[in-house]
Amino acid sequence: MESQGIQRRPHVVLVPAPLQGHLSPMLELGTLLHSKGFSIIIAHTIFNSPDPCNHPEFTFLPIPDNLGDQNASPATLMTLITTMNDNCEAPMTEILAQIMNKNEKHDQICCIIYDMIMYFSGAVADKLQLPCMILRTSGASAAAAYEHLPRLYAEGYFPLQDSKLQDVVPGLRPLRLKDLATSDMGNIEDILEISAITNNPRNASALIWNTVDHLEHAALAQVQQIYPLSFFAIGLHMDGQLDRVKIATTIKRLIRDKEGKEIRQNANAMKEKTKLSVSKGGSSYSSLNELAELILSNRLPK
């Protein structure tokens, strides 16, 4: 374990997925929880591992994954996810058990928070009798969309046809079929299989969403009906692969088109609301405080 200054704080184990757009939100969550008085342990794969130098306040715990020189291309993504979950459960259970046996009673792990893709962590928490939560690094709208994939597949919408990409997704207005980024993840059958696994909250006591309430209020209400768990909407850092051509095209639209004027006005309004949500008294600020209080209360089911 690579440790930088262990303090007498309640320990939270965070398990990020080593994929584009997943690592940064988990590390940001760690920063927020650290500011609330928690000691953060980052249990990470050796594959695409984070740099400990960027977060000297955290303890980094490498988990043997036996992935070798894997890559996260669309053709191999599903295999990577299943292999990673198969390989990491046993070593992480053993390593965390050693920590728990070594630490004093007042210096124990109080919770595991894991990326939904790292679903083996739920089994680890169950074996060690630890409460756990799931971080959804995408927004609530994406989660709602994936819940509809089996129905859309059964109704013959896949594979997506170019002539219908602009059609509104039934039951998911205003999303269009082109917004379902399934082509970047492999074939639809594999996507449905892995979605059924990752969307299962299992023994988790809460879901943490990388969004803010005013941006996705309707979507959050929809997914809360699906998952009968505590919800925390905490806007976190988002990253991902950006298409330079699409960015350039969008910028031109924003500058020249009438649509761009409306988009700019809406964006400015949302920007102000988002600032308020993360400020003291805002929805994200309040959610973070409630999350910290829940973890510290020892009221989480194990």
Side-chain angles (χ1 to χ4, degrees), residues 29 32-33 36 38 113 133 206-214 217 220 224 230-236 276-296:
L29 177 61
L32 292 174
L33 290 175
K36 294 296 180 181
F38 293 96
I113 301 176
M133 301 179 182
L207 287 173
I208 304 168
W209 297 88
N210 184 14
T211 188
V212 290
D213 182 73
H214 76 269
H217 183 78
L220 283 168
Q224 195 155 22
S230 297
F231 267 44
F232 300 95
I234 301 172
L236 303 166
L276 291 174
S277 75
V278 298
S279 301
K280 188 173 182 178
S283 61
S284 288
Y285 183 93
S286 299
S287 286
L288 177 61
N289 285 335
E290 291 169 8
L291 174 62
E293 290 171 5
L294 180 62
I295 296 172
L296 287 171

Short mmCIF file of all heavy atoms in Angstrom, two decimals, residues 29 32-33 36 38 113 133 206-214 217 220 224 230-236 276-296:
data_model
loop_
_atom_site.label_atom_id
_atom_site.label_comp_id
_atom_site.label_asym_id
_atom_site.label_seq_id
_atom_site.Cartn_x
_atom_site.Cartn_y
_atom_site.Cartn_z
N LEU A 29 -15.06 12.74 -5.89
CA LEU A 29 -15.86 12.36 -4.73
C LEU A 29 -14.96 12.15 -3.51
O LEU A 29 -15.30 12.55 -2.39
CB LEU A 29 -16.65 11.08 -5.03
CG LEU A 29 -17.49 10.52 -3.86
CD1 LEU A 29 -18.54 11.53 -3.41
CD2 LEU A 29 -18.15 9.21 -4.26
N LEU A 32 -14.09 15.47 -2.04
CA LEU A 32 -15.21 16.04 -1.28
C LEU A 32 -15.38 15.36 0.07
O LEU A 32 -15.59 16.01 1.09
CB LEU A 32 -16.49 15.92 -2.11
CG LEU A 32 -16.56 16.78 -3.37
CD1 LEU A 32 -17.82 16.44 -4.17
CD2 LEU A 32 -16.54 18.26 -3.05
N LEU A 33 -15.28 14.03 0.09
CA LEU A 33 -15.43 13.31 1.35
C LEU A 33 -14.25 13.58 2.29
O LEU A 33 -14.42 13.66 3.51
CB LEU A 33 -15.56 11.80 1.08
CG LEU A 33 -16.87 11.36 0.42
CD1 LEU A 33 -16.82 9.87 0.09
CD2 LEU A 33 -18.07 11.66 1.32
N LYS A 36 -14.74 16.48 4.28
CA LYS A 36 -15.71 16.28 5.35
C LYS A 36 -15.14 15.47 6.51
O LYS A 36 -15.87 15.10 7.43
CB LYS A 36 -16.96 15.58 4.80
CG LYS A 36 -17.76 16.42 3.81
CD LYS A 36 -18.33 17.66 4.46
CE LYS A 36 -19.12 18.50 3.49
NZ LYS A 36 -19.65 19.73 4.14
N PHE A 38 -13.12 12.49 6.21
CA PHE A 38 -12.88 11.07 5.99
C PHE A 38 -11.46 10.83 5.49
O PHE A 38 -10.89 11.64 4.75
CB PHE A 38 -13.87 10.50 4.97
CG PHE A 38 -15.29 10.47 5.44
CD1 PHE A 38 -16.17 11.50 5.11
CD2 PHE A 38 -15.77 9.42 6.22
CE1 PHE A 38 -17.47 11.49 5.55
CE2 PHE A 38 -17.07 9.39 6.66
CZ PHE A 38 -17.93 10.44 6.33
N ILE A 113 -17.46 2.55 -1.40
CA ILE A 113 -18.21 3.19 -2.47
C ILE A 113 -17.55 2.79 -3.78
O ILE A 113 -16.35 3.01 -3.96
CB ILE A 113 -18.22 4.73 -2.33
CG1 ILE A 113 -18.86 5.14 -0.99
CG2 ILE A 113 -18.98 5.37 -3.50
CD1 ILE A 113 -18.83 6.64 -0.73
N MET A 133 -22.03 1.58 -1.15
CA MET A 133 -22.81 2.46 -2.00
C MET A 133 -22.25 2.39 -3.41
O MET A 133 -21.11 1.97 -3.61
CB MET A 133 -22.74 3.91 -1.50
CG MET A 133 -23.22 4.13 -0.08
SD MET A 133 -23.06 5.88 0.38
CE MET A 133 -23.64 5.81 2.08
N ALA A 206 -27.21 2.85 -1.03
CA ALA A 206 -27.46 4.17 -1.60
C ALA A 206 -26.83 4.26 -2.98
O ALA A 206 -25.89 3.54 -3.31
CB ALA A 206 -26.89 5.26 -0.69
N LEU A 207 -27.37 5.16 -3.79
CA LEU A 207 -26.81 5.49 -5.10
C LEU A 207 -26.38 6.96 -5.09
O LEU A 207 -27.14 7.83 -4.67
CB LEU A 207 -27.84 5.27 -6.20
CG LEU A 207 -28.17 3.82 -6.56
CD1 LEU A 207 -29.33 3.79 -7.56
CD2 LEU A 207 -26.96 3.13 -7.16
N ILE A 208 -25.16 7.20 -5.56
CA ILE A 208 -24.64 8.55 -5.67
C ILE A 208 -24.59 8.90 -7.16
O ILE A 208 -24.02 8.15 -7.95
CB ILE A 208 -23.23 8.66 -5.06
CG1 ILE A 208 -23.24 8.19 -3.60
CG2 ILE A 208 -22.70 10.09 -5.14
CD1 ILE A 208 -21.86 7.98 -3.01
N TRP A 209 -25.18 10.01 -7.53
CA TRP A 209 -25.30 10.38 -8.94
C TRP A 209 -24.42 11.56 -9.28
O TRP A 209 -24.37 12.54 -8.54
CB TRP A 209 -26.76 10.72 -9.28
CG TRP A 209 -27.67 9.56 -9.10
CD1 TRP A 209 -28.32 9.19 -7.96
CD2 TRP A 209 -28.02 8.60 -10.09
NE1 TRP A 209 -29.06 8.06 -8.19
CE2 TRP A 209 -28.90 7.68 -9.49
CE3 TRP A 209 -27.70 8.44 -11.44
CZ2 TRP A 209 -29.45 6.61 -10.18
CZ3 TRP A 209 -28.24 7.38 -12.13
CH2 TRP A 209 -29.12 6.47 -11.50
N ASN A 210 -23.74 11.47 -10.40
CA ASN A 210 -22.90 12.56 -10.89
C ASN A 210 -23.76 13.54 -11.67
O ASN A 210 -23.70 13.63 -12.91
CB ASN A 210 -21.78 12.00 -11.77
CG ASN A 210 -20.81 13.07 -12.22
OD1 ASN A 210 -20.81 14.18 -11.70
ND2 ASN A 210 -19.99 12.75 -13.21
N THR A 211 -24.60 14.27 -10.94
CA THR A 211 -25.50 15.23 -11.57
C THR A 211 -25.97 16.19 -10.49
O THR A 211 -25.62 16.06 -9.32
CB THR A 211 -26.69 14.51 -12.22
OG1 THR A 211 -27.45 15.45 -12.99
CG2 THR A 211 -27.60 13.87 -11.17
N VAL A 212 -26.74 17.17 -10.89
CA VAL A 212 -27.38 18.06 -9.93
C VAL A 212 -28.88 18.02 -10.17
O VAL A 212 -29.34 17.84 -11.31
CB VAL A 212 -26.85 19.51 -10.03
CG1 VAL A 212 -25.42 19.58 -9.51
CG2 VAL A 212 -26.91 20.04 -11.45
N ASP A 213 -29.64 18.21 -9.13
CA ASP A 213 -31.08 17.97 -9.17
C ASP A 213 -31.79 18.83 -10.20
O ASP A 213 -32.66 18.35 -10.94
CB ASP A 213 -31.68 18.21 -7.78
CG ASP A 213 -33.17 17.92 -7.75
OD1 ASP A 213 -33.53 16.74 -7.79
OD2 ASP A 213 -33.96 18.87 -7.69
N HIS A 214 -31.42 20.11 -10.32
CA HIS A 214 -32.18 20.98 -11.21
C HIS A 214 -31.95 20.66 -12.69
O HIS A 214 -32.77 21.00 -13.53
CB HIS A 214 -31.85 22.46 -10.95
CG HIS A 214 -30.53 22.89 -11.49
ND1 HIS A 214 -29.37 22.83 -10.76
CD2 HIS A 214 -30.18 23.39 -12.71
CE1 HIS A 214 -28.36 23.27 -11.50
NE2 HIS A 214 -28.82 23.62 -12.67
N HIS A 217 -34.01 16.70 -12.81
CA HIS A 217 -35.02 16.42 -11.79
C HIS A 217 -35.97 15.31 -12.23
O HIS A 217 -36.25 14.37 -11.47
CB HIS A 217 -35.80 17.70 -11.47
CG HIS A 217 -36.80 17.52 -10.37
ND1 HIS A 217 -36.44 17.49 -9.03
CD2 HIS A 217 -38.15 17.35 -10.40
CE1 HIS A 217 -37.52 17.31 -8.29
NE2 HIS A 217 -38.58 17.22 -9.09
N LEU A 220 -34.14 11.90 -12.42
CA LEU A 220 -33.86 11.39 -11.08
C LEU A 220 -35.13 10.80 -10.45
O LEU A 220 -35.08 9.75 -9.81
CB LEU A 220 -33.30 12.50 -10.19
CG LEU A 220 -31.83 12.86 -10.41
CD1 LEU A 220 -31.47 14.16 -9.69
CD2 LEU A 220 -30.92 11.73 -9.92
N GLN A 224 -35.52 6.87 -9.49
CA GLN A 224 -35.76 6.59 -8.07
C GLN A 224 -36.93 5.62 -7.89
O GLN A 224 -37.00 4.89 -6.91
CB GLN A 224 -36.02 7.89 -7.31
CG GLN A 224 -35.91 7.72 -5.79
CD GLN A 224 -35.57 9.00 -5.08
OE1 GLN A 224 -35.79 10.08 -5.60
NE2 GLN A 224 -35.02 8.88 -3.88
N SER A 230 -31.56 5.08 -1.04
CA SER A 230 -31.26 6.49 -0.79
C SER A 230 -30.54 7.06 -2.01
O SER A 230 -29.70 6.38 -2.62
CB SER A 230 -30.37 6.63 0.45
OG SER A 230 -31.02 6.15 1.60
N PHE A 231 -30.88 8.29 -2.38
CA PHE A 231 -30.29 8.95 -3.55
C PHE A 231 -29.53 10.19 -3.12
O PHE A 231 -30.01 10.96 -2.28
CB PHE A 231 -31.39 9.37 -4.53
CG PHE A 231 -31.69 8.36 -5.60
CD1 PHE A 231 -31.79 7.01 -5.30
CD2 PHE A 231 -31.90 8.75 -6.90
CE1 PHE A 231 -32.08 6.08 -6.27
CE2 PHE A 231 -32.19 7.83 -7.89
CZ PHE A 231 -32.29 6.48 -7.57
N PHE A 232 -28.35 10.38 -3.72
CA PHE A 232 -27.58 11.59 -3.48
C PHE A 232 -27.11 12.13 -4.83
O PHE A 232 -26.33 11.47 -5.52
CB PHE A 232 -26.38 11.31 -2.57
CG PHE A 232 -26.76 10.79 -1.22
CD1 PHE A 232 -26.78 9.42 -0.96
CD2 PHE A 232 -27.12 11.66 -0.21
CE1 PHE A 232 -27.14 8.94 0.28
CE2 PHE A 232 -27.49 11.19 1.04
CZ PHE A 232 -27.49 9.83 1.29
N ALA A 233 -27.60 13.29 -5.22
CA ALA A 233 -27.19 13.92 -6.48
C ALA A 233 -26.10 14.93 -6.17
O ALA A 233 -26.35 15.99 -5.59
CB ALA A 233 -28.37 14.60 -7.15
N ILE A 234 -24.87 14.57 -6.53
CA ILE A 234 -23.70 15.42 -6.23
C ILE A 234 -22.95 15.66 -7.53
O ILE A 234 -22.32 14.74 -8.07
CB ILE A 234 -22.78 14.75 -5.19
CG1 ILE A 234 -23.55 14.46 -3.91
CG2 ILE A 234 -21.57 15.64 -4.89
CD1 ILE A 234 -22.77 13.63 -2.91
N GLY A 235 -23.00 16.85 -8.05
CA GLY A 235 -22.32 17.15 -9.30
C GLY A 235 -20.82 17.01 -9.15
O GLY A 235 -20.21 17.63 -8.29
N LEU A 236 -20.21 16.15 -9.97
CA LEU A 236 -18.77 15.89 -9.90
C LEU A 236 -18.13 16.22 -11.23
O LEU A 236 -18.80 16.51 -12.22
CB LEU A 236 -18.52 14.41 -9.57
CG LEU A 236 -19.15 13.91 -8.27
CD1 LEU A 236 -19.12 12.39 -8.23
CD2 LEU A 236 -18.42 14.47 -7.07
N LEU A 276 -25.35 27.76 -7.80
CA LEU A 276 -26.13 27.80 -6.57
C LEU A 276 -26.21 26.43 -5.92
O LEU A 276 -26.18 26.29 -4.70
CB LEU A 276 -27.54 28.33 -6.86
CG LEU A 276 -27.65 29.81 -7.26
CD1 LEU A 276 -29.08 30.15 -7.65
CD2 LEU A 276 -27.18 30.71 -6.11
N SER A 277 -26.31 25.37 -6.75
CA SER A 277 -26.49 24.03 -6.20
C SER A 277 -25.26 23.55 -5.43
O SER A 277 -25.38 22.79 -4.47
CB SER A 277 -26.83 23.03 -7.31
OG SER A 277 -25.69 22.73 -8.09
N VAL A 278 -24.06 23.98 -5.87
CA VAL A 278 -22.84 23.53 -5.19
C VAL A 278 -22.41 24.50 -4.10
O VAL A 278 -21.46 24.22 -3.36
CB VAL A 278 -21.68 23.32 -6.20
CG1 VAL A 278 -22.04 22.24 -7.19
CG2 VAL A 278 -21.34 24.62 -6.92
N SER A 279 -23.10 25.63 -4.00
CA SER A 279 -22.80 26.59 -2.94
C SER A 279 -23.50 26.16 -1.65
O SER A 279 -24.39 25.30 -1.65
CB SER A 279 -23.27 27.99 -3.34
OG SER A 279 -22.64 28.41 -4.54
N LYS A 280 -23.09 26.75 -0.54
CA LYS A 280 -23.68 26.41 0.75
C LYS A 280 -25.18 26.61 0.71
O LYS A 280 -25.69 27.66 0.31
CB LYS A 280 -23.07 27.29 1.85
CG LYS A 280 -23.48 26.88 3.24
CD LYS A 280 -22.72 27.66 4.30
CE LYS A 280 -23.10 27.20 5.69
NZ LYS A 280 -22.34 27.91 6.74
N GLY A 281 -25.91 25.56 1.10
CA GLY A 281 -27.36 25.60 1.06
C GLY A 281 -27.97 25.06 -0.21
O GLY A 281 -29.17 24.82 -0.26
N GLY A 282 -27.14 24.85 -1.26
CA GLY A 282 -27.64 24.32 -2.52
C GLY A 282 -27.90 22.83 -2.45
O GLY A 282 -27.52 22.16 -1.48
N SER A 283 -28.52 22.27 -3.51
CA SER A 283 -28.92 20.86 -3.48
C SER A 283 -27.72 19.91 -3.42
O SER A 283 -27.72 18.94 -2.65
CB SER A 283 -29.79 20.54 -4.70
OG SER A 283 -29.07 20.77 -5.90
N SER A 284 -26.67 20.17 -4.22
CA SER A 284 -25.49 19.30 -4.19
C SER A 284 -24.75 19.42 -2.87
O SER A 284 -24.25 18.43 -2.32
CB SER A 284 -24.54 19.63 -5.35
OG SER A 284 -25.09 19.20 -6.57
N TYR A 285 -24.65 20.63 -2.37
CA TYR A 285 -23.99 20.87 -1.08
C TYR A 285 -24.73 20.11 0.03
O TYR A 285 -24.11 19.44 0.86
CB TYR A 285 -23.98 22.37 -0.78
CG TYR A 285 -23.26 22.77 0.48
CD1 TYR A 285 -21.92 23.13 0.45
CD2 TYR A 285 -23.93 22.81 1.70
CE1 TYR A 285 -21.25 23.51 1.61
CE2 TYR A 285 -23.28 23.18 2.86
CZ TYR A 285 -21.94 23.54 2.81
OH TYR A 285 -21.30 23.90 3.97
N SER A 286 -26.06 20.21 0.01
CA SER A 286 -26.86 19.51 1.03
C SER A 286 -26.74 18.00 0.88
O SER A 286 -26.66 17.27 1.89
CB SER A 286 -28.32 19.94 0.92
OG SER A 286 -28.46 21.34 1.14
N SER A 287 -26.73 17.51 -0.37
CA SER A 287 -26.61 16.06 -0.59
C SER A 287 -25.29 15.53 -0.05
O SER A 287 -25.24 14.45 0.54
CB SER A 287 -26.73 15.75 -2.09
OG SER A 287 -28.05 15.86 -2.54
N LEU A 288 -24.21 16.28 -0.25
CA LEU A 288 -22.91 15.85 0.25
C LEU A 288 -22.92 15.78 1.76
O LEU A 288 -22.40 14.81 2.36
CB LEU A 288 -21.82 16.82 -0.23
CG LEU A 288 -20.40 16.53 0.28
CD1 LEU A 288 -19.93 15.15 -0.19
CD2 LEU A 288 -19.43 17.61 -0.18
N ASN A 289 -23.50 16.77 2.42
CA ASN A 289 -23.59 16.75 3.88
C ASN A 289 -24.42 15.57 4.37
O ASN A 289 -24.06 14.89 5.34
CB ASN A 289 -24.19 18.05 4.40
CG ASN A 289 -23.21 19.21 4.34
OD1 ASN A 289 -22.00 19.00 4.37
ND2 ASN A 289 -23.72 20.43 4.27
N GLU A 290 -25.53 15.31 3.69
CA GLU A 290 -26.38 14.18 4.08
C GLU A 290 -25.66 12.86 3.88
O GLU A 290 -25.78 11.93 4.70
CB GLU A 290 -27.67 14.21 3.26
CG GLU A 290 -28.59 15.37 3.60
CD GLU A 290 -29.73 15.52 2.61
OE1 GLU A 290 -29.89 14.62 1.75
OE2 GLU A 290 -30.46 16.52 2.68
N LEU A 291 -24.89 12.76 2.78
CA LEU A 291 -24.11 11.54 2.52
C LEU A 291 -23.08 11.31 3.62
O LEU A 291 -22.95 10.20 4.14
CB LEU A 291 -23.42 11.66 1.16
CG LEU A 291 -22.45 10.53 0.78
CD1 LEU A 291 -23.19 9.19 0.68
CD2 LEU A 291 -21.76 10.85 -0.55
N ALA A 292 -22.35 12.36 3.99
CA ALA A 292 -21.34 12.24 5.04
C ALA A 292 -21.97 11.84 6.37
O ALA A 292 -21.44 10.97 7.08
CB ALA A 292 -20.58 13.56 5.18
N GLU A 293 -23.10 12.43 6.68
CA GLU A 293 -23.78 12.10 7.94
C GLU A 293 -24.27 10.66 7.95
O GLU A 293 -24.20 9.97 8.98
CB GLU A 293 -24.96 13.06 8.14
CG GLU A 293 -24.53 14.49 8.47
CD GLU A 293 -25.70 15.47 8.46
OE1 GLU A 293 -26.85 14.99 8.29
OE2 GLU A 293 -25.47 16.67 8.61
N LEU A 294 -24.75 10.18 6.80
CA LEU A 294 -25.23 8.81 6.72
C LEU A 294 -24.09 7.81 6.93
O LEU A 294 -24.23 6.83 7.66
CB LEU A 294 -25.91 8.56 5.37
CG LEU A 294 -26.47 7.15 5.14
CD1 LEU A 294 -27.56 6.85 6.16
CD2 LEU A 294 -27.03 7.03 3.73
N ILE A 295 -22.94 8.08 6.30
CA ILE A 295 -21.78 7.19 6.46
C ILE A 295 -21.32 7.16 7.92
O ILE A 295 -21.00 6.09 8.47
CB ILE A 295 -20.62 7.62 5.54
CG1 ILE A 295 -21.02 7.49 4.07
CG2 ILE A 295 -19.37 6.79 5.81
CD1 ILE A 295 -20.02 8.07 3.10
N LEU A 296 -21.30 8.32 8.57
CA LEU A 296 -20.81 8.41 9.94
C LEU A 296 -21.80 7.87 10.97
O LEU A 296 -21.40 7.52 12.09
CB LEU A 296 -20.49 9.87 10.29
CG LEU A 296 -19.24 10.46 9.64
CD1 LEU A 296 -19.17 11.97 9.90
CD2 LEU A 296 -17.99 9.78 10.18
#
